[in-house]
Amino acid sequence: MAAECKNLISKSTMFLFISTFLNLFAFAASVRNVLVIVADDAGFESPIYNNLICKTPNLKMLAKRSVIFNKAFTSVSSCSPSRSTILSGLPQHQNGMYGLHHSVHHFNSFDEVRSLPLILHNAGIRTGIIGKKHIGPEYVYPFDYSETEENHSILQVGRNITYIRKLVRKFLRKDSTQPFFLYIGFHDPHRCGHSHPELGAFCEKFGDGFTNGTGVIPDWKPVYYNPEEVKVPYFVPDTPAVRKDIAAQYTTISRLDQGIGLVLQELSLAGHLNDTLILYTSDNGIPFPNGRTNLFDPGLAEPLLISSPRHKERWGKTSDSLVSLLDIVPTVLDWFQLPYPNYHLLKKPVTLTGHSLLPLLSHPQTRKDPPAVFASHNLHEVTMYYPMRSVRTEQFKLIQNLNYKMPFPIDQDFYISATFQDMLNRTKRQEDLHWSKSLTEYYYREQWELYDLHTDPAELTNLARRASHKSIFDSLKHLLYQWQNITNDPWICGPGAVLEDRGAYKFNPQCMRLDNDLY
């Protein structure tokens, strides 16, 4: 009897062990979904990042389930180029998306680029995109499920959060067994005064239920802000016109936030909230001076939340590690346990310079941080040729302006804004801009800009020509050159030389000097 009892206990223990092992294996196998949410020109307008005026309760809820990154940076400060880097892992000068994709701009990534959705599709992972895509060609960035501006109005698919919710539900219900990658590109809080002035500076009137002809977004409860109470960023003029602009921006950020809440609700209803890696970020800086299209920190710094069901012990924690949006592709591949393919682009080997962020979700010291983050910008609109390169360490930022003899260009969206028109008019009237710069200083820049971010976080005092900082300048320049070399930057020799890398120089590329007094 004792032997039978002992045998029964042994079998029960073994059964419990096997059952537990299978459950753990099943859990591990099931945690293979990814949701990437990308806002459009959003910044740090949230209590998560110490802005207590702009209310974002849904982002705040997501942050409680995430690691909050305080030093995340895009590698390019323009919409299409940034989205191409997020989905390819390659800087814009390497993947070919030099400027905006739509209309007359017409930029595309190179045909041979192996994008993230392509890699995932080939690995049997179902891919979907909802909202703003703004990159191409389609065969480079293919998705199994695609509901974007290519087959919808961008207002509906990017700002109508009720419609977005329905599209998310449709995707999640289509196949509950296959692992998925879902990318959602909100169009909020992008400016729309250039394209839809009747809807307000940031389309804050779209679907509000009050403005004639704009319709109603059933799930949206508009939140309005007093211009006198908004938080004016340090890099933006503090005037009534700017404050009114920011108040409108806040309203669309609130719509973005409510849309994110609906997406997360659909994820939960589908049973995937606890088996999905969730990333939230934005494409570039806010559309204000020093922001979008600039390589100053306000143009490159991005919000970044990463929620992992496998790393609950780090939920609600922050990370001060320098990270790049170029890290997203290796992070997603690491999550799915997939290798990056070996291939050549324009007959040159391709190497990812980003790194998986999953180790930082386990413990802040488990990943050896790279010494710097890099940025590369060529154009925004097709007329805005102003190539720039930058390298940023914990303390210093070096920017190279290759086309520095020309004035810094202004995009159509920003030009028509109340903020920029106020700056223009005040300058013409010789009035105080209530800003740290003049328009002339903003337009005309040095070829090299070096800033000590510890003593000069606003990036106002250029140290590039100072003898006291020559060693720092040289080391950062060398670091930047190394990155350009690894990523096959065609602009690596500009503006003082011409790159010769074919024919006699195929195996020994050279920068052949122009003797034009530029370096």
Side-chain angles (χ1 to χ4, degrees), residues 162-233:
T162 297
Y163 193 49
I164 293 170
R165 176 183 195 167
K166 292 178 180 178
L167 294 175
V168 171
R169 182 179 299 174
K170 182 180 177 182
F171 174 82
L172 293 175
R173 287 183 175 179
K174 191 170 184 180
D175 186 339
S176 61
T177 59
Q178 190 179 5
F180 67 78
F181 170 83
L182 178 59
Y183 174 102
I184 300 179
F186 283 92
H187 195 27
D188 282 330
H190 193 285
R191 287 186 180 277
C192 76
H194 169 66
S195 55
H196 297 281
E198 73 280 4
L199 299 178
F202 287 84
C203 278
E204 69 276 9
K205 298 177 183 179
F206 174 64
D208 64 4
F210 302 105
T211 306
N212 289 336
T214 66
V216 177
I217 300 174
D219 288 305
W220 181 35
K221 297 177 177 57
V223 181
Y224 300 103
Y225 294 87
N226 184 341
E228 295 180 1
E229 297 176 354
V230 301
K231 184 177 180 179
V232 179

Side-chain angles (χ1 to χ4, degrees), residues 232-250:
V232 179
Y234 70 89
F235 53 88
V236 173
D238 190 350
T239 65
V242 174
R243 286 180 168 272
K244 186 177 179 181
D245 234 6
I246 294 173
Q249 177 205 28
Y250 280 13

